[in-house]
Amino acid sequence: MLYSEQKPFEEILSYLEGENVTFIVGCRGCAEGCESGGEEQVKEMKRKLEEAGKRVSGYTMIDMVCDEHLTRLKLKACEKAIAEADSILVMACGAGVQTVASIVDKMVHPGCNTISSGGGHAEWKEAERCLECGDCVLEYTGGICPIARCSKQLLNGPCGGSQGGRCEVSPDIPCAWQLIIERLTKLGKLEKLEEIRPPKNWKVSLTGGIPVKR
């Protein structure tokens, strides 16, 4: 089970600055069990956003947002509402946020922080995409995690060792920051990288900042 907690509402609201319409994705799996992104929490978020002057074009509940195939099917059924939205707010673990980002060509905002895996793993079969760092930065990196996918866990852009879009650790590993730059460019949000990210507080992470062996 991936344990998560909802981000502060004011932080979520700041993500939506300059946007009028959003679509919400909730998770009937781990997030519902944690009461961070179940249907009750999604409905409450919808109410609070509308009270703050935002329009919610709709929402959907997915059994396991980190299941790419299932999420793709569910989002397909919501195409119209998603097309109306400026962005998508995902109230699930970091793996779930990244699953949605891999499917939809819109800005995807994280509504939760993933604080522990509890010994479990997400359903995304290709790789571990979330290292439960406790303070999700996916808002600033286009839904691609630099903690899990950058070998050096860099927060402010690529190192000098990557070449041709590949990580210097191994040519089999894509440079996470190259992927981040390409996605933010595609979304017209490259300015997000202009803000320097402060050093991460590893006290709230599962690994304490120790890189996980690939």
Side-chain angles (χ1 to χ4, degrees), residues 64-83:
M64 297 289 283
V65 183
C66 57
D67 185 319
E68 185 178 2
H69 179 68
L70 178 59
T71 296
R72 191 176 293 276
L73 289 175
K74 290 287 287 187
L75 296 184
K76 179 73 173 177
C78 303
E79 274 186 336
K80 184 177 180 181
I82 291 174

Side-chain angles (χ1 to χ4, degrees), residues 86-202:
D86 298 311
S87 65
I88 300 176
L89 174 64
V90 181
M91 298 176 66
C93 68
V97 176
Q98 292 178 81
T99 303
V100 175
S102 73
I103 296 169
V104 181
D105 287 332
K106 286 184 180 287
M107 194 64 196
V108 177
H109 305 293
C112 299
N113 289 320
T114 312
I115 54 179
S116 170
S117 68
H121 296 280
E123 292 298 315
W124 194 330
K125 303 301 183 184
E126 287 83 356
E128 277 304 324
R129 297 293 172 93
C130 179
L131 294 185
E132 301 88 46
C133 75
D135 183 16
C136 187
V137 299
L138 290 171
E139 169 65 20
Y140 312 103
T141 57
I144 297 172
C145 181
I147 305 302
R149 301 191 65 185
C150 172
S151 298
K152 298 180 181 179
Q153 299 181 335
L154 299 178
L155 289 174
N156 290 292
C159 69
S162 60
Q163 294 186 16
R166 311 307 290 180
C167 177
E168 72 170 325
V169 171
S170 170
D172 296 329
I173 303 173
C175 172
W177 275 99
Q178 181 67 35
L179 297 176
I180 289 168
I181 290 168
E182 289 175 356
R183 177 162 171 80
L184 287 175
T185 299
K186 183 177 182 180
L187 295 175
K189 297 289 185 179
L190 193 58
E191 72 277 2
K192 283 187 171 290
L193 298 186
E194 294 177 0
E195 181 181 350
I196 302 299
R197 306 305 306 161
K200 180 169 271 296
N201 176 16
W202 291 108

